Amino acid sequence: MEENRYLTFALGKGRLAKKTLELFENIGITCEEMKDPATRKLIFVNEKERLRFFLAKGPDVPTYVEYGAADVGVVGEDTILEENRGIHEVLDLGFGRCRMCVCGPKEAAGLLQRRELIRVASKYPRIARDYFYNTKHQTVEIIKLNGSIELAPIVGLSEVIVDIVETGSTLRENGLDILEEVCPLSARMVVNPVSMKMRHERITGLLGALRGALET
Ligand code: PRP
């Protein structure tokens, strides 16, 4: 029977997963096993509620949800935009707030204004391409990196970067500035389109409870 089947959640490892579990606790759903900091387990079950949670790398969460290996996912909006998967975004969880920005040394501001052909390093090539080509109508060369993006303009790999800014300390400590804002970001709940149809009552019930907890 439908109600006996597990509802499976893919959570982006780390702070997002921790915040998500706190939110679930606010609606009376706990998963004690998951709180053990020493555990190397990747999947956790709440038998009573028939829920399963698993921890995945952020960029893999939309993939698990698109293929239906997870019914629901929690991941940053940056990842959702970058992965561009066939999933429904259903809830802004409000936490994990930050901004996607074009950053670089102050002197690079002129290159942006004059729409020069510059190099842009980013962990988010799709977002960077979309911003430069479709919003700014500026032709640029995008260079994909996997982390420590702030290094790129410092060592001369690129003129600017497109990256997440949360507190701004990484930029400050490396002598870089925000030059333009691409978009604000936060953690989102996403749902597999088939699960949304087939398990509608269960998912919308849960979403309603989570929405209520977020409003209080
Ligand atoms: C992210 C992002 C920035 C930093 C911004 O990197 O890419 O480097 O956090 O945060 P701040 O504004 O609070 O300083 P992350 O720590 O995820 O590591 P990464 O460099 O490996 O991507």
Side-chain angles (χ1 to χ4, degrees), residues 58-126:
D60 294 338
V61 168
T63 313
Y64 283 108
V65 176
E66 179 178 58
Y67 283 90
D71 300 290
V72 183
V74 173
V75 70
E77 203 191 358
D78 48 317
T79 305
I80 299 171
L81 294 172
E82 186 60 30
E83 292 299 313
N84 195 32
R85 296 274 174 183
I87 51 182
H88 291 330
E89 202 181 298
V90 289
L91 189 59
D92 181 350
L93 295 166
F95 49 78
R97 281 197 192 285
C98 52
R99 293 179 292 163
M100 187 64 75
C101 298
V102 181
C103 310
K106 270 196 198 63
E107 309 79 73
L111 304 174
L112 295 172
Q113 272 154 20
R114 294 191 297 276
R115 295 197 166 79
E116 290 195 22
L117 175 56
I118 52 171
R119 285 185 179 160
V120 179
S122 186
K123 203 155 63 170
Y124 302 93
R126 181 190 292 271

Side-chain angles (χ1 to χ4, degrees), residues 164-194:
I164 284 173
V165 179
E166 194 182 349
T167 61
S169 10
T170 314
L171 289 180
R172 264 193 305 280
E173 289 182 28
N174 291 288
L176 303 174
D177 285 300
I178 295 177
L179 303 174
E180 290 176 2
E181 182 171 327
V182 177
C183 59
L185 301 165
S186 59
R188 304 291 161 116
M189 190 161 268
V190 292
V191 178
N192 171 275
V194 177

